[in-house]
Amino acid sequence: MGAPTASGTASPHQNGTATTSASWSVEVVYRGIFQKRLANRISRGVVLGARKEGKVGTAFARYGDSPERNGIPAKNFAVVATDEVQLESSLARYEPESVDVSIVVDDTMCKGVESWAWYGVQPINKLVVPGGSLVVTSDKQPDELLRAVKVKPYAYNLVVVPSPVHAGVFAPEGSASFAGLWVDNDDNTDFKCLVAVARVAPQILTLDSVLDIVRERTNDEARVKAVRAIYDQIKIRHVEPGEGSTVDHEEYQKPGWTQMREGIVVEAMQVGTRNPLYKKWSTRTRRPLVNFDTCIKCTQCWLQCPDECFEVTPEGTYEVVYEACIGCSICEEVCPVPDCITMVNELAFDNNDNLYPMYASDPEGYRRFLQQHGIALHPELIDKAKKTPAVHQQPDYPSKKQKQPVVTGGEE
Amino acid sequence: MVIAVPPHTTSNAARPKKFEEEELLLTGSEAIAHALRLADVDIVGAYPIRPYDAVMQAVAAMIADGKMDCEYIVAEGEHSQFELVKHASAVGARSFVGSSGVGWFYAFEAIAVTAGLRLPVVANVGNRALDDPGAFGVEHNDALAVRDLGWLMTWVETGQEAFDAAVIAYKVAEDPRVMLPCAVSTDGAFLTHSQHLVKIPPREVVEQFLPKYDLGDRLFHPDNPITIAPQVDQDWLTEIRKQNDAAMRRAPDVIREAYREYYELTGRQREPFVEEYMTDDADYVLVGQGTIAMPGRVIVRRLREQGHKVGFARLKWFRPFPADEIVERLGRFKGVGIIDRDYSFGSPHHGGVLFTEFRAAFYDSPKRPAMINIIGGLGGREFTAADGQEMFNLLQQATAGELKTNVHWIGVRE
């Protein structure tokens, strides 16, 4: 059974066959609410597929993620074992400390995830064991995803589950997010993820078991065939130790009972400051880009943003504090100027820096940057826009509390 | 005047034919919903609160799909929810109700009266920490708060046991010798929302096991001129309470019978009160109720690998507290560690609820093992293997007389 470890789980990544005793864990990382059913179907599929091979298993959502919020990363798990004793040993820690396969159903989460359920941003591949697999639904190539995925000190596999890109259907062309989030629910994403598991970890469940599940759920041989075809299309990218993003995220230390305030009292934010601990940016799949040339300083974005993410530039225009932005796109909706605010895919960015400094130091470069994201510049609107009066002032830009303050002063 | 009520059919105790069971991947809550379906419950009083509300959702889906036929009433709050099932029970309807945490507390008045009126309502308590602060994680204090009032109380560990216990609950509660409400507790999240493989027997098997609900001459009906619960004074309460006491004293035998019959029928639930694991040659035993048993067994196996003689005992019924069983079974060990997933501030030695009750059970016994209390897992925090090691170390030290105190909180950040 393996030597007792300091952690609660049995030794991970056991390549047992049906005759030896072993257990395996699979997690599904998904965007809350939108992809809740998808994640549940995948984790149930793992257990029910493995069951066809005589294994036992349990599926469950992460307790701490409840209640889910739109888009905030959440997790589902499936733990499978050859026998009840092994299953118990794996479940002794209700939430797995490590997984053989991590399935990510929205690729913008590759940048890291901050959930209700823990503090601070965690790498998307945090739980993946040595030699395990990170399976990502995406239309991007593995190398592009690896620019965002945190490095690990050991090798593992990256698998991209191919997706159709539905240009013009709700999401702009090139958007990687799909299945439950952007396109029709019924596009086989759940089955494709199960096929990916069968591809990288057939000891958990085989392709035949997956196809049986497809057959049972859909009663449609054409679908079975389509899903079967995915199996051969899946490419496994071996990831070396040290390959990936080296961006570090702050870790949060939980206080002890002697340090906490009595009476369940928590510090609140002072007016005009931002929460230093909880940033929420990992909720977003797209971020707004501002065309500072054509902004007419109408203040609508600043006013309507539910998280007060806009700050005033020295020109009286508005820029986004990306640490706080959750990508709700209300700003894009309310901006009256064509293409002045445009939502673009988040995966293209590897930091949360404000962008006005780039515009101020190199306006031409910034315009090219917007164009690279497919944004029309509308040069005919610039003159009029520059003549509009500023409503707000930010006296000390960049403000000393750049990450914190909402603009005060000026008329509203 | 005696009215014609449906005949009281006794269950068929003959050995059954073998039967096929359907295996489904269900949450503990869904498993209970299936039990209600097969028990042919007449009325479900519903009001949503996490995590028990998974049961009401599953029942609603079954009714909508035509798989279950019962009255489904969503009240405007838990107080009304529990009142209405109490009254439904009084008019002869097999009733189900459920809640969690503060929702359960909102129904407190009705909860007290249900037991006082000797009405066999079955309730699911999806154990949840009490607000504030809002936390969905498991603590047992919600259900435990009613422990003095005359409710039967059982804690289950798996989805399978949730199904089995819900069926058994009706059998025991509705037995004419008992006629007390029964709370079936399921640990929030860990059992209410995790999906297990559960075997569901055919309807006929459950029908064979469960006689029809029969209030006899207590049936509240115009043809039966009775009044329920008139105003009383000091001349009456003592005797009324004494009747409840007697019913609760009769309950252990009824529970034993029910489990024996269920075991013969399904091959499951052999042990009514205490489930022991690796205790045969143990010197030390850890004790708990609910889902703690799973990490408990894993902890025991790891300690055994290190050469320690340790076992785990899971308490299945908290009310009636099986004191005789406990004393007989646990008295033979050197040291017993009672794990409380609850708190009881200001209690003797500041111990948890189980600890205090276990010690009370042992007071007169000549064989009293060393006994410590482990308080932990509150708010849904997990018990880890490291915690298990710490628990065992404390138990060993206590048994050797090396500890000044016997109540220990584990896993606390200092």
Side-chain angles (χ1 to χ4, degrees), chain A residues 80-137:
Chain A
V80 163
T82 48
D83 54 81
E84 294 284 350
V85 169
Q86 271 297 320
L87 183 64
E88 250 185 19
S89 298
S90 301
L91 286 175
R93 194 66 208 266
Y94 174 69
E95 183 188 334
E97 285 187 334
S98 61
V99 297
D100 297 277
V101 183
S102 179
I103 302 173
V104 181
V105 291
D106 180 80
D107 63 2
T108 53
M109 289 192 288
C110 286
K111 292 179 64 169
V113 286
E114 182 174 31
S115 165
W116 266 121
W118 60 79
Y119 301 92
V121 177
Q122 288 185 0
I124 188 63
N125 56 2
K126 182 173 189 224
L127 301 192
V128 177
V129 297
S133 298
L134 182 71
V135 173
V136 183
T137 60

Side-chain angles (χ1 to χ4, degrees), chain A residues 157-311:
Chain A
N157 299 312
L158 174 62
V159 172
V160 175
V161 171
S163 81
V165 174
H166 288 223
V169 178
F170 193 69
E173 173 132 25
S175 167
S177 301
F178 71 105
L181 204 48
W182 303 106
V183 303
D184 182 9
N185 255 331
D186 207 21
D187 65 357
N188 291 345
T189 301
D190 49 351
F191 301 135
K192 287 186 218 164
C193 289
L194 293 176
V195 164
V197 175
R199 182 87 170 78
V200 297
Q203 66 274 21
I204 301 179
L205 79 169
T206 63
L207 176 62
D208 282 338
S209 300
V210 176
L211 297 180
D212 275 345
I213 300 262
V214 180
R215 206 166 273 122
E216 272 166 24
R217 285 210 203 140
T218 65
N219 215 11
D220 181 352
E221 278 308 311
R223 287 249 246 170
V224 175
K225 218 170 136 192
V227 173
R228 171 75 184 79
I230 298 288
Y231 185 84
D232 299 316
Q233 292 171 28
I234 287 172
K235 294 190 186 2
I236 303 177
R237 161 77 153 82
H238 180 83
V239 181
E240 292 295 331
E243 207 186 335
S245 161
T246 50
V247 172
D248 262 325
H249 296 289
E250 233 178 284
E251 281 195 27
Y252 175 70
Q253 301 301 328
K254 295 191 278 277
W257 72 276
T258 54
Q259 299 152 326
M260 288 160 58
R261 291 178 68 168
E262 308 245 318
I264 323 178
V265 167
V266 179
E267 303 280 322
M269 301 312 305
Q270 287 190 7
V271 173
T273 65
R274 295 186 195 283
N275 191 324
L277 295 172
Y278 186 45
K279 302 294 187 199
K280 296 209 288 188
W281 62 262
S282 76
T283 305
R284 68 171 180 259
T285 55
R286 300 182 304 171
R287 68 163 67 182
L289 292 184
V290 177
N291 185 347
F292 300 108
D293 284 333
T294 56
C295 170
I296 61 171
K297 313 175 191 87
C298 70
T299 78
Q300 284 308 299
C301 57
W302 173 88
L303 191 64
Q304 303 292 349
C305 174
D307 284 307
E308 299 177 310
C309 296
F310 283 86
E311 288 184 344

Side-chain angles (χ1 to χ4, degrees), chain B residues 152-171:
Chain B
L152 305 163
M153 303 181 75
T154 179
W155 259 263
V156 298
E157 190 205 332
T158 61
Q160 185 69 67
E161 196 186 352
F163 174 87
D164 295 335
V167 171
I168 292 170
Y170 280 106
K171 175 107 171 171

Side-chain angles (χ1 to χ4, degrees), chain A residues 1-10 40 43-44 47-48 51 55-61 63 66-68 85-89 91-95 254-260 264, chain B residues 23-27 30 50 132-133 135-138 157 188-191 193-197 199 277 293-295 297-298 301-302 305-306 379-386 412-414:
Chain A
M1 230 184 79
T5 59
S7 71
T9 49
N40 187 40
S43 54
R44 281 178 65 84
V47 175
L48 291 170
R51 186 77 185 118
K55 302 185 188 106
V56 289
T58 299
F60 49 99
Y63 150 59
S66 177
E68 293 185 14
V85 169
Q86 271 297 320
L87 183 64
E88 250 185 19
S89 298
L91 286 175
R93 194 66 208 266
Y94 174 69
E95 183 188 334
K254 295 191 278 277
W257 72 276
T258 54
Q259 299 152 326
M260 288 160 58
I264 323 178
Chain B
E23 187 182 78
L24 300 172
L25 186 61
L26 302 174
T27 61
E30 287 166 339
R50 215 182 311 247
D132 295 336
F136 307 115
V138 53
E157 190 205 332
F190 297 155
L191 182 52
H193 283 72
S194 67
Q195 301 179 55
H196 305 234
L197 294 163
K199 291 192 180 0
Y277 182 73
M294 187 181 55
R297 288 192 294 272
V298 175
R301 287 199 287 270
R302 284 172 202 270
E305 279 165 16
Q306 293 169 28
R381 185 173 295 180
E382 297 186 55
F383 286 98
T384 64
V412 184
R413 292 192 308 272
E414 295 291 329

